[in-house]
Amino acid sequence: VPVTDVIDVCMNLGLMVSINQRLDAETMALVADEFGYKVEFVSVDVQEVIKEEEEDKPEDLKPRPPIVTVMGHVDHGKTSLLDYIRHTNVIAGEAGGITQHIGAYSVELEDGRKITFLDTPGHEAFTAMRARGAKLTDVAIIVVAADDAVMPQTVEAINHASAAGVPIVFAINKIDKPTADPERIKGELANMNYLVEDWGGKYQCQEISAKQGLNVDKLLEKVLLEAELKDLKANPNRRASGTVIESALDKGRGYVATVLVQNGTLHQGDIMLAGIYYGHVKAMFNERGQRIQEAGPATPVQVIGLNGAPQAGDYFNILDSDREAREIANKREQLVRMQSMKTKKHITLDEIGRRI
Ligand code: GTP
Ligand code: MG
C-alpha cells in the first residue's frame, strides 16, 4: 500500500508519524489490521541467519586440547590456581583482586599435553559469565576454599556445570591455612548429593594449595582423566568457528575481540562474522600478547579487524566474501533492532483511545 495511506491510517489512530519512522510491534499489527492483514511476529535467533555448516567426517577429526573452566565462590582461589599453573601473576593486576571477566589461557604442560583454561569471576554479579563458561567447557574445576565453606556461588557454579552436563572435579583449596578443614567441605558437598571419591562417591576431588602449588599436578591429572574419557576431537582442516569470550574498543588497536576457536583453524586474513559485526582478521595475538598467524581448535585468541565489538557469547564464523559477511551482519542487525523495538515501551490501545 502507498506510504501515504499508512500515514493516513496512523493519523486516524491518533499517531503523528513521519515517513521514515519505525512503528512498534503493536502499532504495526493495528495498522496492518486496518488494511485487512494479520501480522505474525516471529522470534528469530540472530545466530541462525547463517548457512548450516556441513558436519565433519569422522576421519577428519583429530584430538584437541580440553577446555577446562575454573569456577567457584569469590576469593576461593580460582585465579591463584591458574596463576600457579601458568607461572604468572594475573591477580596482581586485578582491581581489588576480583576477577571481572572471563580469562582464557592456553597452557602446555611439561609433558607436552595442552589444556585451555577459562577463568571465571566468583562475584555474585557475574552469573551470566559463569553460565557461559560452563557452556563452553569440557570439564569444570569447582574451587572451594577449605578455610571457608560451600558458599552461594559454589552452589551456583555446581548447578551451571550440572545443567551443562559437564563433569566436575572439586579442588579444595587453601589447605596450607591452619584453619583449613577439607573434610568439612566434603561433608557439605555430600549434603548436596555430591559425594567425592574418598567418601565413596563418583566425584573426583583434590586438596590443593594454589598459593604453594601443593598437589596442583595431581589435580591436573584428575582433570585430564575426565577429559580423556570424553575423547575430545575437532577438525583443524576447516574454516574456524567458535564463541566470542569478550570484546572491547582499544584506543590504539580498534575493536579487539577475544574468541575461542572451537572447531577448524582461524587464519590471519580470514573474513570473520561475529554476532552483528564482521571484518578481515588483521592480526591475531595469543593471551601473552604474542602475534600468531593461525589458531587451531580449543585455542583462545585475540582478534583485531572487526568493525564493532560483538557480545560475549556470540558465535563467530568464517565466510567466503566481504559481501556475504556484510549481508548477514546487516540482516542480523536489523533483526536485533526489530527485537529491541518489540520490547520497547509502546502506546497502548487505551492511550490511543484517549488521544482520539
Ligand atoms: P574471584 O576471581 O574474585 O572470584 O577470586 P578468585 O577465586 O580468583 O580468588 P583469588 O585467586 O583472587 O584469591 C583470593 C585470595 O586468596 C588471594 O589473596 C590469594 O592470595 C588467596 N589464596 C588463593 N589461594 C590460596 C591458597 O592456596 N592458600 C592461601 N593461604 N591463600 C590463597
Ligand atoms: Mg579470580
Side-chain angles (χ1 to χ4, degrees), residues 66-78:
I67 299 165
V68 175
T69 300
V70 185
M71 296 199 284
H73 198 73
V74 68
D75 270 354
H76 279 196
K78 300 173 289 294

Side-chain angles (χ1 to χ4, degrees), residues 72-81 91 94 97-100 119-123 143 173-177 208-212:
H73 198 73
V74 68
D75 270 354
H76 279 196
K78 300 173 289 294
T79 306
S80 302
L81 171 62
I91 36 171
E94 291 180 340
I98 287 188
T99 304
Q100 311 209 16
D119 184 15
T120 62
H123 190 278
V143 177
N173 189 31
K174 307 198 187 184
I175 54 162
D176 59 286
K177 286 199 160 182
I208 60 164
S209 164
K211 201 168 200 167
Q212 300 179 345

Side-chain angles (χ1 to χ4, degrees), residues 29 51 54 59 74 87 104 183 197 257 270 282:
K51 287 184 297 220
E54 72 283 10
E59 64 266 29
V74 68
H87 315 292
E183 293 304 307
E197 269 186 331
D270 281 350
K282 287 202 199 98

Side-chain angles (χ1 to χ4, degrees), residues 133-159:
K135 278 203 196 109
L136 283 174
T137 201
D138 300 309
V139 180
I141 298 179
I142 307 280
V143 177
V144 194
D147 66 333
D148 198 2
V150 169
M151 298 295 280
Q153 271 62 54
T154 318
V155 176
E156 193 204 296
I158 292 172
N159 290 340

Side-chain angles (χ1 to χ4, degrees), residues 98-136:
I98 287 188
T99 304
Q100 311 209 16
H101 60 94
I102 296 188
Y105 312 103
S106 183
V107 177
E108 185 165 342
L109 304 181
E110 272 162 20
D111 60 10
R113 287 183 290 178
K114 284 186 184 159
I115 305 179
T116 300
F117 284 104
L118 299 181
D119 184 15
T120 62
H123 190 278
E124 58 174 330
F126 302 113
T127 305
M129 285 191 216
R130 284 185 290 275
R132 207 178 303 133
K135 278 203 196 109
L136 283 174

Side-chain angles (χ1 to χ4, degrees), residues 50-64:
I50 190 155
K51 287 184 297 220
E52 277 286 308
E53 299 258 354
E54 72 283 10
E55 290 247 332
D56 290 305
K57 293 193 207 86
E59 64 266 29
D60 293 335
L61 295 173
K62 305 267 175 339
R64 65 159 174 87

